Structure formats: structure tokens, C-alpha cells
Amino acid sequence: MTLAAFLETHGAVIRVAQTRGRGSSPREAGTEMFVAAEALYGTIGGGQLEHRAIEAARAMLRDGALSREMDVPLGPEIGQCCGGRVELSLQRMRASDKGAALDRAEAETAALPHVYVMGAGHVGRALADLLQHLPMRTILVDPRAGEIALCTAAVETRVSAIPEVEVANAPAGSAFVVLTHDHGLDFLLTSAALERGDAAYVGMIGSATKRAKLRSWMRQHCGPCDFGQLTCPIGAQGSGDKRPALIAAFVVAEVLAELTRGERVAGRAATGQTPARGHHHDQKGASAR
């Protein structure tokens, strides 16, 4: 359910917002949750903190109260051991408050990082299945309509005869995971993503050998770029298991690490090297994807 549907369904709603956090706290200031008599939307971190906030909000709904402030120590007295302290503001929402909340949600959605999964084979679809649950905009791209049709995840799909156009038109800070059915197309898309110079993550399925071949190919066909930005093979750091779902899980972890990191890892940028252990599904064809 979207926030819009939640607010439309429930007339009386309390907005619970974390206004301040001191020490260790489950979420950061600005985090909000919406509480109705029989339903919830969002979370301020769970546990006893959230339980107490929900109880207080529903008491407000029963009593007709308009606002309340809470200062909650996250210690043994409430059965938590974070050791910090959280201040909460609870407000009964007016129509204007609901409108403002929807505007904030729309702005957050517009600001979501884009993840382009270039290739809708077995691993690409497994990635889409995982990424659909995360706070990002996922776009699954493939020139093959039949492969795109097999995707059941709630992500954006594009059948593109010229998928490099999708790379060129992506917003700055996007992540690109390249795992098509064709080595040549992999090279074209990966080099295009690297040449942008503003991608948060560029990963290509393959092996150390395929990585070396790409580097040689780019020296002949591409302009200068930071080849050290490339992760290849993708998903190889956590396991040697080559099943698509497990590769996808480790790739998602790689992408999330880059999208949520404030700064690039200095050592990786300086050395221009990415560890190349393992060899994940470098064969072409249906069985590899």
C-alpha cells in the first residue's frame, strides 16, 4: 500500500516523527511513521520504542488529543539496549498535513537512486526480484521482449533495441549491472557506463579474463576513463555458489554498499584495481542467465 492509499483509507491519522536522536538510535531525525486505529504505515525502528509510540498515538486517537511530545531513553527501563535517547513528536494530521506528507513522499521517490539491470536473463530477473523491495528505482532493460515478459517483479521494464541509449540517458549517480546474453553488448554497455564518469556502481558479469579483455578493448575503442570503477566479476566476493539467486543477493549487497556510501573507497580509486576472484556465469546462453 502506498502512503496516498493509506491516508485516503484512514481518516484519523497520527504522524509520529523523530525530531532528535542522541547516542545510538534505530533511525535518524526526520524519520516518520503514520498510525491509524487499526493500521500502520512506515517505521521509526521497531522494538519497544515503536511499540510505545504506537500506543501513545492510538491513545491520542481515542482521546481526541491533537499533539504530544515523547522523550524515550533506549535503555533497560524499556527493554532496549541501544543506549541512546530519542525525541518524538506526535501530531494528529489535518488535510494540509496529509498533503505535505504526500509531497515529501513524492520528493523522496523522485530522489531515489536509479539501478539499471542490463539484461533480463536468469540473473537479471533474480536481481529485479530482490531490488523491487528496496528504496531505489530499478529499470530492467533487454532487447528481447520474450525475456522481459518473464519478469514478474514490480520494477520498470524496457524493451530496447539500442540499450546503450538507456545508459546515456540515465541520471548521474546511477548504478549499472551489465549481464546481457552477448559479450559484445556487455562490452559496449559497460564501457558506456564507465565513460560517463558519474556512475555510483558499474558491474559486469564475467571473470578476470573477461575483465582483462574488456580493458584491452576499451583501450582501442574508448576514451580515457577510470577502469578501476568497474566491478567484474560481480557478486564474487561472498560465495563461490553460481546459482542466479545467490549471485543476485551478493550483487545487491555490492550495489547497496556503493549507493549508500558517502564517499568512494579511496584505495579502490587510487589503485584502479578490483579483486577478481571466482567466475560467475560467464557462459552465454539461457543456461548462464
Side-chain angles (χ1 to χ4, degrees):
M1 175 181 284
T2 64
L3 177 59
F6 178 86
L7 294 177
E8 184 177 351
T9 301
H10 304 283
V13 177
I14 302 295
R15 175 181 179 254
V16 180
Q18 180 175 328
T19 56
R20 186 183 180 191
R22 288 169 282 172
S24 178
S25 61
R27 299 292 300 276
E28 63 282 349
T31 299
E32 58 186 358
M33 174 178 70
F34 303 91
V35 182
E38 301 294 337
L40 300 169
Y41 186 93
T43 177
I44 58 169
Q48 279 294 314
L49 170 66
E50 183 163 301
H51 177 70
R52 291 188 174 214
I54 293 169
E55 282 191 332
R58 287 181 172 155
M60 290 173 62
L61 292 172
R62 291 192 300 270
D63 300 340
L66 299 179
S67 65
R68 177 177 173 180
E69 304 297 317
M70 297 179 67
D71 186 348
V72 186
L74 305 178
E77 54 266 50
I78 69 164
Q80 293 199 200
C81 56
C82 295
R85 198 175 193 97
V86 169
E87 295 178 17
L88 304 174
S89 175
L90 287 68
Q91 302 286 335
R92 182 182 289 265
M93 300 184 76
R94 302 165 296 179
S96 60
D97 297 323
K98 292 182 178 181
L102 292 174
D103 288 343
R104 288 193 300 275
E106 183 177 348
E108 289 175 4
T109 298
L112 288 176
H114 289 53
V115 179
Y116 290 81
V117 179
M118 311 302 293
H122 290 359
V123 179
R125 296 196 301 273
L127 276 168
D129 286 341
L130 296 177
L131 291 169
Q132 68 177 320
H133 303 294
L134 299 173
M136 55 189 64
R137 180 178 174 183
T138 300
I139 303 99
L140 181 65
V141 182
D142 200 294
R144 305 167 297 172
E147 294 298 308
I148 287 286
L150 296 175
C151 176
T152 58
V155 301
E156 186 175 344
T157 57
R158 297 178 187 173
V159 178
S160 177
I162 311 176
E164 57 267 34
V165 172
E166 305 295 339
V167 176
N169 293 334
S174 294
F176 301 92
V177 187
V178 181
L179 25 59
T180 78
H181 60 293
D182 180 81
H183 279 306
L185 185 55
D186 282 354
F187 282 15
L188 181 64
L189 296 176
T190 302
S191 62
L194 289 171
E195 285 188 295
R196 287 178 56 105
D198 62 2
Y201 173 92
V202 180
M204 181 179 71
I205 201 164
S207 63
T209 299
K210 184 175 177 181
R211 177 188 175 88
K213 287 182 177 179
L214 171 64
R215 186 165 201 165
S216 176
W217 183 87
M218 288 185 64
R219 284 172 176 162
Q220 299 178 48
H221 300 284
C222 302
C225 65
D226 180 9
F227 194 80
Q229 188 184 14
L230 174 65
T231 298
C232 178
I234 55 174
Q237 307 310 311
S239 171
D241 195 313
K242 299 180 181 181
R243 284 175 290 179
L246 291 177
I247 295 173
F250 286 114
V251 174
V252 168
E254 290 176 359
V255 172
L256 282 174
E258 295 301 323
L259 289 177
T260 58
R261 181 173 297 155
E263 298 180 356
R264 281 277 176 261
V265 177
R268 176 168 147 183
T271 61
Q273 297 295 322
T274 299
R277 295 179 297 180
H279 183 165
H280 282 332
H281 292 255
D282 195 28
Q283 304 91 347
K284 294 299 173 182
S287 64
R289 297 286 189 264

